[in-house]
């Protein structure tokens, strides 16, 4: 689950236009302490006992670096093919296949209880936390406390802050283990605390819903999330299709659902030329997911795609999870290429790019395949030197140029 910056940015823009600067408490530790004191009665009203509140907030310092993340505006929007090439690469497919095998027994019991197929559960796990490897390092009470007291989404984060304190109060997760993303998503499933309270399950039966250190609980909780979202097992999430020449693209849109027959009458076929009736989606209402125009890969998507979308509220992430699930079932890559002459690169290639940047004398921090701020700054310098478009994006062009020793 990733924090969606968009609505807040609009609010911030409105506030700036209206009043110069949004009214804001001064960002000091003293202001933080008095804010925590002020929030306690509200926390108590939603079930956080006073002893709990004291115990877990005592001595906590605000982390003001989170406010920069909250207000971060990317200088340019990453194209969809960059998300997909990093989130669904050969490594993630082979790690997922290993996970399917290692957890086969529990995944079978999870499917029996929640009616979600193993590949879908494991694909969510792979995209959310790289199969439990990347779950976030920010202490939740500190992060959510800070965001409850400063910045532009305080009331939203207060709800999550109180939920995090209730989780500690119940003892489901040890305080030193309750770490997550800067915005408060934690554990193998990257649930927000309130989502945890609603949907986490104790599947190994030890009496605790532990999404941090117990993969059985985490996989079952993911399945419960999808089950409660309305997943129907056995219905494909969607299928890649081929558009007819001169297709009216105003029909596109995940929510603009029509019957499969309607789409067939509009001239759509499966991407390999077979009729839509071979898709396994007969009788379903499906929308057309078109994330890179009529020349990129396009998909007819069922309600099950919308259920996956609910995990992150981003179509790019939804498509990554959906596509990874297909790959884990033995499916191949998309048949249609993304419409670009500078395709995205895998995490292995990103690490190679970072290694080449280091060899050129750049400090890019840790070689982790993540292409953060330092990597992007180094890429810009190299793009400038090579006469390429200077945008800091790590794609195939810059990788090939550096590989060739240019
Ligand atoms: Ca448990």
């Amino acid at each position: 689950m990733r924090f969606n910056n968009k609505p807040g940015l609009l609010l911030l823009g409105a506030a700036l236009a209206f009043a110069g600067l949004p009214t804001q408490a001064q960002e000091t530790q003293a202001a933080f302490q008095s804010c925590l004191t002020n929030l306690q009665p509200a926390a108590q009203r939603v079930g956080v006992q006073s002893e709990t509140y004291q115990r877990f907030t005592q001595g906590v310092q605000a982390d003001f670096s989170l406010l920069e993340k909250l207000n971060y505006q990317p200088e340019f929007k990453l194209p969809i093919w960059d998300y997909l090439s990093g989130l669904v690469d050969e490594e993630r497919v082979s790690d997922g296949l290993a996970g399917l095998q290692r957890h086969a027994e529990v995944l079978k019991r999870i499917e029996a209880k929640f009616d979600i197929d193993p590949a879908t559960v494991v694909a969510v796990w792979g995209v959310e936390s790289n199969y439990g490897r990347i779950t976030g390092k920010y202490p939740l009470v500190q992060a959510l406390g800070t965001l409850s007291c400063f910045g532009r989404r305080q009331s939203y984060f207060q709800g999550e802050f109180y939920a995090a304190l209730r989780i500690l109060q119940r003892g489901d997760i040890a305080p030193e283990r309750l770490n997550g993303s800067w915005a408060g998503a934690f554990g193998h499933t990257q649930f927000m605390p309130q989502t945890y309270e609603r949907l986490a399950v104790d599947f190994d039966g030890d009496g605790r819903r532990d999404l941090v250190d117990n993969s059985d609980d985490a996989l079952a909780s993911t399945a419960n999330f999808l089950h409660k979202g309305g997943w129907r097992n056995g219905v494909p999430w969607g299928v890649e299709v081929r558009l007819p020449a001169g297709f009216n693209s105003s029909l596109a849109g995940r929510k603009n659902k029509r019957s499969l027959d309607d789409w067939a009458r509009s001239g759509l076929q499966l991407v390999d030329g077979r009729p839509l009736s071979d898709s396994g989606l007969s009788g379903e209402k499906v929308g057309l997911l078109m994330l890179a125009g009529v020349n990129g890969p396009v998909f007819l998507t069922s309600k099950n795609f919308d259920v996956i979308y609910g995990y992150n509220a981003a179509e790019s992430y939804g498509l990554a999870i959906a596509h990874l699930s297909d790959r884990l079932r033995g499916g191949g890559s998309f048949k249609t290429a993304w419409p670009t002459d500078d395709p995205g690169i895998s995490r292995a290639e990103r690490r190679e790019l970072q290694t080449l940047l280091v060899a050129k004398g750049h400090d890019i921090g840790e070689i982790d395949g993540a292409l953060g701020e330092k990597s992007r700054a180094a890429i810009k310098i190299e793009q400038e030197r090579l006469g390429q478009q200077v945008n800091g994006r790590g794609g195939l062009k810059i990788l090939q140029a550096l590989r060739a020793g240019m």
Side-chain angles (χ1 to χ4, degrees), residues 201-210 214 217:
V201 294
D202 169 27
F203 202 65
D204 71 343
D206 71 348
R208 296 189 307 125
R209 302 183 290 167
D210 183 358
N214 188 303
D217 286 2

Side-chain angles (χ1 to χ4, degrees), residues 238-244 267-280 296-300 331-337:
V239 65
E240 190 180 352
V241 293
R242 184 195 286 179
L243 302 175
L268 275 70
Q269 301 170 309
L270 294 182
V271 72
D272 60 10
R274 286 181 298 145
L276 292 184
S277 51
D278 283 6
S279 64
V298 285
F299 310 88
L300 285 177
S333 304
F334 300 141
K335 297 285 186 294
T336 311

